[in-house]
Amino acid sequence: MLNEGKKHLLRSLLAKRILLVGFVAMQAFAAGSYLYIERNRIEQSIATTLLNTTVLQVRNFELFKNLVSMHLKTIGDASFLGEGVSQDRLAREVQKEWIDAVMVLDTTGNIIGRASLFELELLLPKEVLVTNSFANGPLYREWRAKNV
């Protein structure tokens, strides 16, 4: 009978051990699943953030392109009308309510006059500031190719 009691005790301990290992395995699976789901969520958030950043950069580029396009059109009109590029005239232009900056380029893309209500250095690319010219920029070459 004593032998039977030991067998029952050993079976009971074995059953408890199996239950404990099963419970730990379920917890490990649940933790692994949670980490996998969180990793995917974080990757999705990063991808969305990068996409939004790219969209903002493209939008800023488009705004810059439109700004330069408007200036080039205005410069073309001023050159066509034979108006001079005096600093007084440029200062009067920026006093108008609808314009904040004016830049005048010659036919080679060099900046020959500018006036603004803000620091143009904050807006213009460094290459333009160093060379004082738009001639090396891809947008200017594209517009000159189209005879803008």
Side-chain angles (χ1 to χ4, degrees), residues 1 4 8 14 41 43 50 52-53 58 71 73 79-80 106 109-110 112 114-115 130-131 138 140 142 146:
M1 182 121 178
E4 179 113 359
H8 178 65
L14 182 62
R41 186 188 63 80
E43 285 178 354
L50 290 174
N52 291 342
T53 302
V58 167
H71 283 299
K73 182 170 180 4
S79 298
F80 181 73
D106 62 11
N110 295 325
I112 57 174
R114 67 181 179 183
V130 170
T131 61
Y140 185 80
E142 178 185 330
K146 294 178 182 177

Side-chain angles (χ1 to χ4, degrees), residues 19-29:
L19 282 174
L20 181 63
V21 168
F23 183 70
V24 168
M26 284 180 17
Q27 282 185 331
F29 178 75

Side-chain angles (χ1 to χ4, degrees), residues 82-106:
E83 297 179 15
V85 186
S86 71
Q87 196 61 30
D88 293 335
R89 171 136 169 80
L90 296 177
R92 282 195 316 271
E93 287 296 321
V94 296
Q95 296 306 318
K96 293 181 179 177
E97 190 173 313
W98 55 274
I99 193 164
D100 292 329
V102 174
M103 292 184 71
V104 180
L105 309 177
D106 62 11

